[in-house]
Structure formats: C-alpha cells, structure tokens
DNA sequence: GCGACAG
DNA sequence: ATCTTGTCGC
C-alpha cells in the first residue's frame, strides 16, 4: 500500500519532541471503530540485533485470525532507545514495511503505546498518522499514567490515568499473567480498542497479530522485562 | 536534586 | 529490545 510522506525521520531528540507536540493535534482518539466490520487486522513489531532493526507486519483475516500476508523490512537502527521517542527508532523501518503491503488492513495493532504517552503520541498514534488508518497500542509494560489493581479474570480492566486524563486501560487478557496496556492509536476510541484486543486474544497474553509479528521479526531469545 | 522510563 | 538454563505449573 502507499502512504504519504509526513516528515523527515532524521531529527535530534529535541526536534523529535517538538514534532510530537505539533502532530498530537492531528490524532483522533475518540472515534468509534466498527469492530464487526473489520475484515483484516495487522500486527506490527520490530526486533533489534547488532544495530539492525528487523520489522514485521503480519495481516490476519478477522475474526478467523488466519495469516494472509507477512511483510518484512530491515535497516540499520537509526536512533537510540529513549523513553518517549520510540517511533524515531522504529518508524523508518516500519514505513518501509508498510509500503510493501499488498493488502490494506482495517486496523493495526502495535507493540507499544498509542496516546498513553507523555505527549499523547506513542508509536501507534504516530504511525497511525502516517498510515491514515485505525491503529491501537498494545504495550507489555507501562510508560506513563497510573492505575488501580486489575481484576483476575480475562477482560478485567483498570483505567490508566495521567494528569487527570484517561489515556488507556490496564487490561487482563489472560488469567494468571500481567495485564497489557491498551490505548487508542488513531481513528479509534478506547472502548473499540479494548473490544478488538479481546477478540484477537483467544488464548495467550498478547493478541495473535502481535504474536505473529513478533515471531516473524525473529525475536527468538528468552524475553522478560 | 531524585525517581520513572513503551521497545 | 537483548544477554541466557533450568524449572515450576496448567
């Protein structure tokens, strides 16, 4: 699929922050997504090995969750990991992968945050603006905001609040495992995001699209933290 | 000045 | 994210 060029990726941390401040105004995170109309869901992930970033985008049919397309892209890792600036590290190689897609997903699920970010522009929101399509953030750990204890059953959730604003939820996707952090990326609201995440997470802690992308990106080491 | 801190 | 074995539990 094609996507319009939004901006240069070669920025200093200071410039990157300024860009986030400008782009946050374009994000639409209060629009319902018709989950029942979704036909294709994509999982997005990037693994890093020896300064090389390997991106993977896997498209699955919904609600069957069967894989219909996998695209890969690799490039030198251009930016260090800085909390709050993840999109400037993974964005370039993801842009390359998105351009290779033959199918146009109805929604993308990212391994990271949407608006649950200090400047409300996590990687799912940022790339959502590049894509011009619905995106959702699904992180394994919290970046910002606070929440009360989450119930023990699948589907239990606790609002993630930052500076008096609800930016997402800590969601239990499987009993006995830590909750995941869900937030709207772009062109999607929180209730819709939670609904889609639960419908794409039939067995494990992480949504099938994200698991498939993680696997395709080649992150085969022992993972924790 | 001291913590917190997606992947 | 990545470096890494065995082990506990369903």
């Amino acid at each position: 699929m094609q996507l319009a060029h939004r901006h240069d990726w070669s920025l200093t941390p200071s410039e990157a922050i300024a860009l986030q401040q400008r782009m946050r105004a374009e994000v639409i995170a209060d629009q319902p997504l018709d989950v029942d109309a979704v036909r294709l869901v994509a999982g997005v992930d990037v693994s890093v090995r020896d300064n090389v970033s390997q991106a993977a985008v896997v498209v699955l049919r919904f609600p069957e969750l069967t894989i219909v397309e996998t695209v890969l892209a690799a490039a030198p890792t251009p930016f260090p990991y800085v909390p709050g600036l993840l999109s400037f590290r993974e964005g370039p190689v993801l842009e390359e992968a998105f351009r290779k897609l033959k199918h146009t997903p109805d929604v993308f699920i990212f391994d990271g945050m949407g608006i649950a970010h200090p400047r409300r522009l996590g990687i799912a929101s940022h790339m959502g603006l590049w894509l011009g399509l619905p995106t959702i953030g699904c992180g394994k750990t919290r970046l910002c905001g606070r929440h009360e204890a989450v119930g023990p059953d699948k589907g239990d959730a606790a609002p993630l609040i930052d500076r008096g604003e609800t930016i997402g939820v800590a969601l239990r996707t499987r009993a006995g495992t830590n909750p995941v952090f869900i937030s709207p990326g772009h062109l999607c609201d929180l209730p819709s995001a939670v609904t889609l995440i639960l419908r794409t997470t039939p067995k494990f802690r992480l949504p099938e699209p994200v698991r498939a992308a993680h696997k395709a990106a080649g992150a085969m080491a022992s993972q924790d933290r």
Side-chain angles (χ1 to χ4, degrees), chain A residues 150-157 171-177 198:
Chain A
V150 182
D153 304 321
K154 177 176 182 178
D156 286 344
L171 176 70
R172 187 84 65 189
T173 51
R174 180 181 184 176
T177 64
L198 288 175

Side-chain angles (χ1 to χ4, degrees), chain A residues 174-185:
Chain A
R174 180 181 184 176
T177 64
N178 293 321
V180 293
F181 296 81
I182 306 304
S183 58

Side-chain angles (χ1 to χ4, degrees), chain A residues 83-116:
Chain A
L85 300 181
L86 181 64
S87 54
F88 295 90
R89 178 180 170 83
E90 306 187 342
V93 70
L94 283 180
E95 180 196 337
E96 195 178 320
F98 291 147
R99 292 184 188 288
K100 294 184 179 180
L101 285 172
K102 298 303 180 187
H103 295 73
T104 297
D106 295 300
V107 56
F108 294 73
I109 301 175
F110 287 73
D111 191 342
M113 311 308 242
I115 63 170

Side-chain angles (χ1 to χ4, degrees), chain A residues 16-17 20 81-88 117-119 121-123 143:
Chain A
I17 290 175
Q20 294 181 321
Y81 168 67
V82 178
L85 300 181
L86 181 64
S87 54
F88 295 90
H117 175 281
R119 290 171 293 284
L121 197 80
I123 192 166
L143 172 60

Side-chain angles (χ1 to χ4, degrees), chain A residues 12-24:
Chain A
T12 62
S14 178
E15 297 174 324
I17 290 175
L19 176 64
Q20 294 181 321
Q21 302 285 28
R22 278 182 278 127
M23 295 185 85
R24 64 181 296 180

Side-chain angles (χ1 to χ4, degrees), chain A residues 122-135:
Chain A
I123 192 166
S125 297
H126 193 159
M127 299 318 291
L129 290 177
W130 272 81
L131 292 162
L133 293 171
T135 60

